[in-house]
Amino acid sequence: MGECAHMLDDGGCKILPDRRQSNQNLDPKRPEGDIVITKPVGQGGANVYDDVYNIQYGLDQVAPIDGGPSPQLVIDGLCGPKTIGAIRNFQKKHFGYAGCDGRIDPDKQTLKKLNELRNRNVFPTIPLSLKTDGFLLAGMMQHVPHIRACVHAAMTNISLAMNVVDSTLPGMLGASRESRMRLLNKHFRTDNFKGAKRPVLQKMYDNYSCMLNVLDRPEAFTTLDTTNEGETISTVAFARLGGFHDKNDLTGKIVFRRGVLFATGIPDFAAFIFIHELRHYVARDGAQGHFAKGWVTDPGMLALKEDKTVLNCDTFAGFALEAKNGDMQRPPWVRSTVFR
Ligand SMILES: [Zn+2]
């Protein structure tokens, strides 16, 4: 299998669709890339319709503080006093009175400056690099103590249940079997498993335990996705399936993307995402982990049978959160999706 086959793009974690491919709302005549003109525009220029149109468009994209027109020009392809005035103002701002002839020539300084300024305003994207965008990783890492506490709470809950799960004795000391199994049954439907249930819980416990190993050294196991230039804010994260156990490929990490910005300010959201990715990352069974997405009370999640819940990433995440926080209202940031 090639690298792509191992990389599990976390489709369920997308926040917004990428709309860049369909700019139907934009004027089809909007100049793409740098503005190019064929003849001079402005005072005494040839003022070819398309050239004027593009210059007007470009000037309107420049902020007034940078010499752009205020109010904005009417973009009509006709070069009148307002367009010439706007060119003069723009030139005065950047080149002083000496460079203020009211005319823009192809490939000269005014056009270069205009392209330089307007490019800032076109399709803004967040730059993503380990040098400049470490704040995204840092924003997630600040929640590691909380995430550890969630994973710990999940392990405690499971270990308490392990002592009673296969017991048929009623009236044990301490908490009843029912109360110890309540959260596990809510999320994983553990009691629906036929036969001995302790091994099932042991496997889940081991999963969470591996997660703690990662959370002990998050800097060794996480990184930013810096390969998708021009990518808009969309996907939150992805992880190499079973990457934690893969001795042949130590480069596989949990990869956070721009979309994670939205989670960095919300501890439980950060925990939900991180634990979801951790479940992919520590998987030994090759299960992709996307049987349903959402909160435990969502229809898609409720429909999962016990053989799927024990593999499902969002189930692991939601269980850990409720083990830590107690029963929660459905958080507004959870996305609900059913996979087939
Ligand atoms: Zn996923």
Side-chain angles (χ1 to χ4, degrees):
M1 281 201 292
E3 165 153 313
C4 287
H6 289 286
M7 298 298 275
L8 188 65
D9 191 351
D10 199 352
C13 297
K14 286 186 200 305
I15 286 187
L16 297 167
D18 185 342
R19 295 188 198 280
R20 286 173 308 139
Q21 303 311 316
S22 56
N23 293 316
Q24 278 100 352
N25 294 331
L26 291 179
D27 188 328
K29 296 200 69 172
R30 178 194 184 97
E32 291 282 338
D34 280 353
I35 287 173
V36 178
I37 53 175
T38 57
K39 301 261 171 60
V41 169
Q43 187 77 53
N47 292 320
V48 178
Y49 176 89
D50 281 352
D51 291 343
V52 176
Y53 191 100
N54 286 342
I55 290 296
Q56 288 170 331
Y57 224 132
L59 285 169
D60 274 358
Q61 288 178 287
V62 176
I65 195 173
D66 289 327
S70 177
Q72 289 193 312
L73 296 171
V74 175
I75 300 168
D76 57 6
L78 304 174
C79 190
K82 284 182 183 164
T83 300
I84 292 171
I87 294 170
R88 282 191 199 281
N89 275 336
F90 182 79
Q91 291 174 321
K92 195 169 77 186
K93 171 82 185 177
H94 296 284
F95 312 114
Y97 284 100
C100 185
D101 61 3
R103 200 178 87 180
I104 299 182
D105 292 324
D107 296 323
K108 293 283 174 59
Q109 63 176 6
T110 306
L111 188 58
K112 279 180 185 148
K113 181 55 81 176
L114 180 60
N115 277 324
E116 193 185 307
L117 286 168
R118 70 179 281 278
N119 281 343
R120 288 191 207 154
N121 302 326
V122 178
F123 303 132
T125 55
I126 298 178
L128 197 61
S129 80
L130 289 168
K131 245 187 205 164
T132 61
D133 300 297
F135 74 95
L136 285 170
L137 268 183
M140 283 302 278
M141 295 317 146
Q142 72 179 324
H143 299 300
V144 163
H146 173 59
I147 299 165
R148 280 187 55 93
C150 293
V151 172
H152 240 288
M155 292 170 71
T156 303
N157 189 296
I158 294 168
S159 67
L160 286 171
M162 278 200 282
N163 294 326
V164 298
V165 66
D166 289 320
S167 168
T168 52
L169 295 173
M172 299 187 51
L173 284 176
S176 68
R177 183 186 185 285
E178 193 194 349
S179 72
R180 290 198 183 183
M181 293 300 298
R182 189 189 63 83
L183 203 58
L184 280 163
N185 278 328
K186 178 180 178 183
H187 288 262
F188 293 98
R189 282 172 271 292
T190 309
D191 273 340
N192 289 355
F193 272 99
K194 306 275 179 278
K197 299 170 180 58
R198 201 176 198 280
V200 178
L201 293 183
Q202 183 68 55
K203 206 176 155 195
M204 287 167 50
Y205 187 92
D206 291 346
N207 266 310
Y208 281 116
S209 173
C210 279
M211 294 182 192
L212 280 188
N213 276 318
V214 177
L215 291 169
D216 281 341
R217 289 189 296 143
E219 70 287 349
F221 295 108
T222 61
T223 189
L224 281 179
D225 177 13
T226 58
T227 62
N228 285 282
E229 245 178 272
E231 168 88 2
T232 52
I233 294 176
S234 56
T235 315
V236 170
F238 58 90
R240 191 175 293 270
L241 185 57
F244 182 72
H245 307 289
D246 191 347
K247 301 279 191 296
N248 297 319
D249 186 356
L250 299 176
T251 61
K253 293 186 174 184
I254 293 173
V255 184
F256 292 112
R257 306 175 89 181
R258 293 182 183 86
V260 85
L261 174 68
F262 297 111
T264 55
I266 307 172
D268 283 344
F269 192 4
F272 194 84
I273 288 170
F274 214 134
I275 295 170
H276 174 113
E277 299 307 327
L278 282 167
R279 180 62 184 87
H280 288 309
Y281 196 59
V282 306
R284 284 183 186 277
D285 39 38
Q288 45 90 349
H290 285 169
F291 296 98
K293 257 198 72 65
W295 193 242
V296 60
T297 50
D298 292 346
M301 297 287 279
L302 287 173
L304 286 183
K305 292 250 161 46
E306 66 277 8
D307 59 328
K308 298 295 191 295
T309 55
V310 291
L311 303 172
N312 196 49
C313 293
D314 271 11
T315 306
F316 272 79
F319 175 76
L321 278 179
E322 289 205 326
K324 168 70 174 69
N325 298 338
D327 290 51
M328 293 168 63
Q329 295 282 319
R330 187 186 192 283
W333 36 259
V334 176
R335 292 251 310 180
S336 182
T337 317
V338 181
F339 297 87
R340 307 196 181 282

